[in-house]
Amino acid sequence: MSQTDMAANSQRNPPPFPGSEDQDPLSEMADGDSDEGEDIFVGNRNPVAARTESFQPNTANGEEPADLFSEEDSGPAARSSNSPPGYKSSGVHSDDDSDLFAEASMELAGGGPSTAAKPSEAEAGPSPTTRKSTTQPMSMEQLEEDEVKDNFELDVAVTNPEKIGDGMNAYMAYKVSTVTTLPMFRNRTFSVWRRFSDFLGLYEKLSLKHSLNGCIIPPPPEKSVVGMTKVKVGKEDSSSADFVERRRAALERYLQRVVSHPSLLQDPDVREFLERDELPRAVSTQALSGAGFLKMINKASDAVNKMTIKINESDTWFDDKLQEVESEELQLRKLHTVVESLVNHRKELCGNTAVFAKSIAMLGTSEDNTALSRALSQLAEVEDKMEALHQAQAASDFFIFAELLADYIRLLGAVRGCFEQRMKAWQRWQESQSTLQKKREAEAKLLWANKPDKLQQAKEEITEWEGKVTQYERDFDRISVTVRKEVLRFEKEKSKDFKSQLVKYLESFLQSQQRLIKFWEAFLPEAKAIA
Amino acid sequence: MMPRAVNVDLQTDATLQVDISDALSERDKVKFTVHTKSTLPNFKQNEFSVVRQHEEFIWLHDSFVENEEYAGYIIPPAPPRPDFDASREKLQKLGEGEGSMTKEEFTKMKQELEAEYLAIFKKTVAMHEVFLCRVAAHPVLRKDLNFHVFLEYNQDLSVRGKNKREKMEDFFKNVVKSADGVLVAGVKDVDDFFEHEKTFLLEYHNRVKDASAKSDRMIRSHKSAADDINRIASTLYTLGTQDSTDVCKFFLKVSELFEKTRKIEARVAADEDLKLADLLKYYLRESQAAKDLLYRRGRALVDYENANKALDKARAKNKDVLQAETSQQVCCQKFEKISESAKQELIDFKTRRVAAFRKNLVELAELELKHAKGNLQLLQSCLGVLKGDT
């Protein structure tokens, strides 16, 4: 279809769901321009909102967000989606943004001048990068206003862990399935097989590209040599099954967080990860595992902390926020320890209940009063059922509560990381200012000493550094905006996440009590029948 | 009013009613106020109280055991020594760790431990009371002179605890007794009833022992889990007070819920302890007492058979026949007396046991249901509020 068609199409309201003609021209274009980078802008007519599923892996739900990152989150995204045609001319797409836009296009697309043309085509809706470029800090009120449901979605699930190979070279492969209506993908439904190192590789790539902007990059689950070795060796027991399930769930949550981040979703590496059949093996992860990488970031941030640099600014928002984050991380760690203790005690309770049940059953068989004997064996059965109940409750404690806390402890680390990036940007700016100052002083000296040839060089250097100062100042402002926005977005997601997970946890507790009631109600008449 | 005997279903009649109306816990010991109401002529008054300590209960119990007249009865098992050591240790540790926790946490834990202490205290009172009630309910034992002295004599009985030498003697006595017990048990009984009882009690006693130990472990895990939920509630509270965002309000509500469910879980563990663990412990002791009775009867049987053999020998040799005859008659009487009462005792034991299990299992089920429904209600109302807010 021609450009005009597309433009014409863009006049209409974005259709509610797939199968509309509007999408095809864009995806065609995407294919036509094999340069991957352009997809970002092309496919971007309709902003992305990733509606991700709740923690249950295989439930493909069209349900209400009991889930983490529903459309409302992508505030900026939502804003442009179902809005009437007139919207496209409204504020978001401003000239100021061209810098960021250009930078983004350099970073993400590596595309040439042709990419600059795209924005006008994508007039129908702003690209996500322009979204990011709104210079006004995104206030909570603004974000809350944008609770428009976005109809363009992407669901990702990680399922079917399979062991490939044998012995120490074996590995687990996971099926990553995507269901999406986003035009930037070739198909609506597709799946690929990925292994753990692929996930780590994705993290690294995203980290390299985006962390400097002050983005909060969701951290992947940690490497575990012990856990994996058990699996490799083929130990067929519940602990390795647990380990695999834990990892699968963690990988799924990781991906869901990545795709729900509006900028990250646009990254071609993410698209490649989801779509491409064969992924080149991420080798560097062997040396630089996710955990190792995080450690590096943490060490760096510790080093910065130790220097006790404080950004001299009148707006205390950043400082306050960082303190909040640090204190929250502390509390979450504490909570996590206690929840782990609860998990262990429940597992212990589980074991002890099973043993007790057997013991009571034995007692029942010794008992020579018939009715009592039967009641005791019924009691043994109730206790057996209680064991199953405790088991389920312990699993819920772990998978819903403990893992939630573990995720957020890591995420808060990532948040701290982005504050550090801002700190670094500020430092660079400050240093450049002091260098400029030195150059000016040098020039003054030369002027006084009257050395005209060196003077020219000095003047050139001053100009260069003036440029750098401006550049770094802009960078700092930009990163400040991003960090602020990211943190607000993060807080919103965190709030949703915690609420939904805690509700889920309480619901599982409720269910267990309901079942408990059934068991004892069945037992009571047996006890009363003893004579 | 102190808790009545929970593990034994006893007929109490007006002629003799005994209970522990009060108890005082001092550093090393517990002082029980034993209160008696009686219409029996033996007593000077109709209602009176004395103060007794644990050692005096043990003295009474041992006097029954050593009395040959009572060989044919199941002697009510002695109450276990009041043991506050664990609880005291915990309170001490808490005191030491006071600096490392917040004021709220400290107060909460202190309340917890105090409640635990109180629970142990109530239990030991109940167990001492059960012992006395069993004695008072027994048609023969209730007439025992030492028992009356125990109930009425309002001075210290000057019963000191056994010293080291006496404890060693006891130890050796027990060793001899169990060795003998094995020998005696090996003798096959002519009477089917007793033969069956012997086999039954042996197996039953072992299984009750096992069940008792395992129920204790299970309940301990349950308590630990409840303690964890307590700490979770505290930490959530701290998180909730950091800010006033709606996620913080959420945390506060969940913390409040956990506080309440934790209390319920602790009650569940405590009730399981009372209705199940204590029941099993009690019947562990009673089945031992029943085994002891069988042992005594077995011993008497062996003595009787030996006396018969001795008589035959004497008659054959025609020497000391009269002596042998007297001896044989004594043994025969002793054996028959024991056998007669033993049979009834063992039947009563069964009846009591069945009744006690019934009572406790019914109460256990009812309490489990009550607590689960309590939890359910709390969860439902909390979830209603939480979901309404989001």
Side-chain angles (χ1 to χ4, degrees), chain A residues 242 342-352 390-391 394:
Chain A
D242 273 351
L342 177 63
V343 172
N344 287 334
H345 282 136
R346 263 214 238 271
K347 284 198 177 142
E348 203 182 86
L349 176 60
C350 198
N352 287 340
H390 293 312
Q391 178 93 297

Side-chain angles (χ1 to χ4, degrees), chain A residues 345 368 499 507 528, chain B residues 228 246 350 353 358 387:
Chain A
H345 282 136
D368 52 3
K499 283 187 193 172
E507 281 176 341
K528 287 189 169 154
Chain B
D228 285 331
D246 59 325
K350 198 164 310 241
R353 185 175 79 242
R358 182 187 190 283
K387 284 200 204 164

Side-chain angles (χ1 to χ4, degrees), chain A residues 59-78:
Chain A
T59 53
N61 53 9
E63 294 169 53
E64 255 295 71
D67 44 351
L68 339 165
F69 315 109
S70 64
E71 292 74 2
E72 293 129 64
D73 276 352
S74 339

Side-chain angles (χ1 to χ4, degrees), chain A residues 124-152:
Chain A
S127 68
T129 45
T130 52
R131 255 184 286 122
K132 206 163 77 160
S133 70
T134 33
T135 45
Q136 309 89 353
M138 206 68 63
S139 66
M140 280 304 273
E141 294 84 53
Q142 262 181 297
L143 284 171
E144 273 164 81
E145 275 167 19
D146 304 333
E147 297 210 1
V148 184
K149 282 239 182 298
D150 200 340
N151 291 324
F152 293 90

Side-chain angles (χ1 to χ4, degrees), chain B residues 71-125:
Chain B
Y73 307 122
I74 296 180
I75 310 293
R81 197 180 70 87
D83 185 10
F84 295 100
D85 290 343
S87 192
R88 234 180 253 133
E89 219 181 274
K90 279 195 211 168
L91 267 169
Q92 201 177 12
K93 258 199 224 159
L94 180 67
E96 286 165 9
E98 185 174 357
S100 70
M101 53 181 98
T102 69
K103 189 154 188 280
E104 290 94 21
E105 275 176 5
F106 178 75
T107 324
K108 244 213 251 176
M109 287 211 71
K110 187 148 170 274
Q111 279 174 348
E112 275 300 297
L113 287 177
E114 282 172 354
E116 206 180 283
Y117 192 92
L118 188 65
I120 298 177
F121 185 68
K122 279 198 181 139
K123 258 211 251 182
T124 192
V125 167

Side-chain angles (χ1 to χ4, degrees), chain B residues 6-121:
Chain B
V6 284
N7 293 323
V8 208
D9 202 35
L10 292 171
Q11 323 285 64
T12 45
D13 59 273
T15 50
L16 182 60
Q17 275 177 351
V18 184
D19 64 85
I20 297 184
S21 59
D22 197 6
L24 190 64
S25 168
E26 284 180 6
R27 241 196 91 74
D28 278 4
K29 48 189 168 238
V30 181
K31 294 200 167 125
F32 303 96
T33 305
V34 179
H35 167 249
T36 314
K37 252 166 127 164
S38 174
T39 54
L40 290 176
N42 330 40
F43 298 113
K44 294 197 198 82
Q45 295 164 298
N46 282 353
E47 189 169 351
F48 47 90
S49 292
V50 294
V51 176
R52 292 283 172 246
Q53 289 182 40
H54 175 74
E55 287 77 19
E56 292 165 309
F57 287 76
I58 299 301
W59 164 81
L60 183 60
H61 170 263
D62 289 350
S63 75
F64 291 150
V65 170
E66 285 155 18
N67 191 332
E68 288 269 338
E69 290 294 304
Y70 301 145
Y73 307 122
I74 296 180
I75 310 293
R81 197 180 70 87
D83 185 10
F84 295 100
D85 290 343
S87 192
R88 234 180 253 133
E89 219 181 274
K90 279 195 211 168
L91 267 169
Q92 201 177 12
K93 258 199 224 159
L94 180 67
E96 286 165 9
E98 185 174 357
S100 70
M101 53 181 98
T102 69
K103 189 154 188 280
E104 290 94 21
E105 275 176 5
F106 178 75
T107 324
K108 244 213 251 176
M109 287 211 71
K110 187 148 170 274
Q111 279 174 348
E112 275 300 297
L113 287 177
E114 282 172 354
E116 206 180 283
Y117 192 92
L118 188 65
I120 298 177
F121 185 68

